[in-house]
Amino acid sequence: MKLIELAENIFFCGEKDKDRTMFDQLIPLPEGTTYNSYFIKGSQKSALIDTIYPPKIHLLLDKLEEAGIKEIDYIVSNHAEQDHSGAIPALVAKYPNAKIVTNERAKENIKSMLHIDEDKFIVIQDEDTLSLGNKTLQFILAPFVHWPDTMFTYLQEDKFLFTCDFYGAHYTTGDIWADYSENLLLAAKRYYAEIMMPFRTFASKYNQKIKELSPKMILPSHGPVYKNPSFILQAYEDWTSDKVKNKVVIPYVSMYESTKMMVDYLTQKLEDADIEVVLWDLIEGDMGELVMETVDAATLVIGVSMVLSGPHPSAVYCTYLLNALRPKIKFFSIVGSYGWGGNLTKILESLLSIIKPEKLDFVIIKGKPKGDDFLQLDALANQIIEKHKIINL
Ligand code: FEO
């Protein structure tokens, strides 16, 4: 099998995984993902940049074998999470002279997760270089983009930047090259929301640093390779900025249509005021898409029914997850209906302790909405409209 040559002596040896349906057992993968690994052949030494998810190890080993690669001098691990590091033990067994090149934090993570001996590592510091002969690798530490151990590898002569998870996408359409389509942009945004949004400040800082570096090519370890980096650099500049859109996201769960009537009514009022509304069914919808919609939304309104004496568990899960992923939501409200009693708001409110959006009025009613209930929803709609006039849209 021939490896795909991206440029002279720089090869792609990753794999698509279209059958994988969940990532981290958390986020649905509607079209699977890819694990990108790259082989660089210098005039004196060779290096493999990142490896592959453990269930796919045999595919990487077969690919290297069939390509006639007898020696690998360096295995560069940009990040210890096992979708990229998982094949290291098998590679070290097959290529016993190979050294694992990484930073101190990643080394410790790899040692604990994969039980690799200390003497197999070469530990680098920020901006250190490693010569392959006619090609030079430079390492850029990028902690918290997204793990503390994250780093990038820059191939100086070619100006190629290997960014591991940064700028990734769970996108398996087409070949290895970015197609710059709207679908790719959405996949990259969805990926950003799930993986990078909790670290927005760091992502913003390193996006700016990479813009200044001006690489000719960006080669992530998930999704396509960007020959035109400005596509993804500009997208990250938008997503990581403090700006929000004139947009309200309304995830809802409704057991007997009362809460649904409320969120439908609110949606209409907001749309009549030219506010974009994303109304999201928490039972039928894909949580990954919902999270993506929060990347640039100004306001979150949770629509919820009562189960026994508290909020429906799907609304609890959604609120917990959004708080963990830290969208730049500015305002939030809760609307919902109950049958005979309980508290719909206390738990949900407590779950937004990290992102702390400004609390707007809540509209909680008994039974099916009627006269005055709609007036309360009118008031909430007006409050949102007024808030959106004064924020940095
Ligand atoms: Fe693709 Fe953080 O692993």
Side-chain angles (χ1 to χ4, degrees):
M1 184 188 302
K2 278 188 67 168
L3 300 180
I4 299 168
E5 192 164 18
L6 304 177
E8 192 176 4
N9 289 323
I10 302 167
F11 302 89
F12 176 80
C13 42
E15 280 293 332
K16 286 183 180 174
D17 188 355
K18 289 193 173 186
D19 297 329
R20 191 165 174 192
T21 57
M22 293 289 285
F23 203 82
D24 291 344
Q25 307 296 44
L26 180 69
I27 298 291
L29 295 173
E31 59 168 297
T33 189
T34 70
Y35 318 106
N36 301 350
S37 178
Y38 304 93
F39 181 73
I40 303 173
K41 191 172 182 308
S43 57
Q44 294 172 12
K45 302 281 188 185
S46 62
L48 189 72
I49 311 284
D50 291 328
T51 72
I52 204 165
Y53 184 52
K56 302 288 180 186
I57 286 171
H58 61 288
L59 296 174
L60 176 61
L61 292 178
D62 290 352
K63 206 173 260 192
L64 296 171
E65 174 77 27
E66 288 172 30
I69 293 168
K70 303 287 181 218
E71 282 291 333
I72 296 176
D73 297 291
Y74 304 117
I75 300 166
V76 176
S77 181
N78 279 322
H79 161 47
E81 197 163 4
Q82 289 180 56
D83 51 328
H84 309 295
S85 69
I88 289 176
L91 285 161
V92 167
K94 186 172 169 68
Y95 301 98
N97 296 323
K99 292 285 189 188
I100 303 154
V101 180
T102 193
N103 61 80
E104 182 66 31
R105 283 168 150 166
K107 181 195 79 172
E108 290 304 320
N109 289 341
I110 291 168
K111 278 170 62 183
S112 66
M113 289 187 284
L114 300 172
H115 298 171
I116 305 277
D117 292 341
E118 175 81 27
D119 64 3
K120 295 300 294 179
F121 289 89
I122 295 174
V123 175
I124 56 81
Q125 309 295 325
D126 191 28
E127 299 192 0
D128 277 359
T129 57
L130 181 68
S131 176
L132 306 179
N134 62 342
K135 292 186 185 293
T136 312
L137 303 180
Q138 182 173 25
F139 307 103
I140 302 167
L141 300 196
F144 296 101
V145 182
H146 67 139
W147 278 21
D149 64 17
T150 309
M151 69 181 200
F152 311 139
T153 299
Y154 186 54
L155 181 54
Q156 288 181 332
E157 291 77 6
D158 297 85
K159 300 190 78 173
F160 286 7
L161 186 67
F162 300 86
T163 55
C164 197
D165 279 331
F166 204 38
Y167 305 128
H170 297 307
Y171 189 72
T172 55
T173 305
D175 61 18
I176 185 62
W177 300 110
D179 59 18
Y180 308 105
S181 64
E182 185 62 23
N183 283 343
L184 172 58
L185 191 63
L186 286 175
K189 186 177 184 181
R190 179 184 169 112
Y191 179 95
Y192 163 80
E194 295 159 359
I195 306 293
M196 296 295 160
M197 189 161 68
F199 308 98
R200 183 167 67 91
T201 309
F202 294 93
S204 173
K205 173 183 160 185
Y206 282 94
N207 189 58
Q208 187 57 38
K209 186 168 180 169
I210 290 171
K211 274 183 84 172
E212 287 159 17
L213 185 66
S214 192
K216 269 175 64 180
M217 207 181 281
I218 286 180
L219 305 93
S221 292
H222 296 288
V225 172
Y226 294 91
K227 279 184 191 172
N228 173 11
S230 63
F231 176 88
I232 195 70
L233 292 172
Q234 185 57 52
Y236 266 67
E237 188 158 318
D238 293 343
W239 301 332
T240 60
S241 79
D242 288 334
K243 284 193 173 179
V244 287
K245 288 186 177 170
N246 188 20
K247 175 175 171 182
V248 177
V249 175
I250 309 179
Y252 75 94
V253 53
S254 186
M255 291 163 65
Y256 287 102
E257 292 295 310
S258 297
T259 298
K260 179 72 162 58
M261 286 175 68
M262 297 174 76
V263 293
D264 281 345
Y265 184 85
L266 182 64
T267 296
Q268 191 59 57
K269 287 287 169 185
L270 295 171
E271 287 181 342
D272 287 348
D274 292 327
I275 293 178
E276 180 187 353
V277 180
V278 177
L279 185 60
W280 202 263
D281 183 337
L282 282 168
I283 304 305
E284 301 292 332
D286 172 334
M287 190 60 80
E289 252 177 80
L290 169 66
V291 170
M292 180 190 72
E293 294 290 358
T294 68
V295 164
D296 43 21
T299 299
L300 171 71
V301 178
I302 300 164
V304 58
S305 297
M306 188 83 76
V307 172
L308 299 173
S309 59
H312 192 287
S314 64
V316 174
Y317 173 69
C318 165
T319 310
Y320 177 85
L321 182 63
L322 289 179
N323 187 58
L325 296 178
R326 304 184 186 206
K328 51 191 175 186
I329 293 284
K330 308 283 188 203
F331 311 105
F332 95 103
S333 174
I334 302 169
V335 303
S337 163
Y338 62 92
W340 46 262
N343 190 316
L344 272 180
T345 61
K346 189 175 172 190
I347 292 173
L348 297 180
E349 212 178 334
S350 72
L351 290 174
L352 292 171
S353 59
I354 298 174
I355 60 175
K356 293 191 182 77
E358 181 182 332
K359 178 181 160 183
L360 306 179
D361 292 342
F362 296 164
V363 182
I364 305 301
I365 66 158
K366 180 171 169 53
K368 188 182 285 190
K370 54 192 179 306
D372 284 356
D373 302 327
F374 291 108
L375 294 180
Q376 285 191 69
L377 291 167
D378 287 342
L380 174 60
N382 287 334
Q383 200 179 21
I384 293 170
I385 292 163
E386 289 307 309
K387 290 290 182 186
H388 280 213
K389 282 180 186 168
I390 58 169
I391 55 173
N392 184 21
L393 295 171

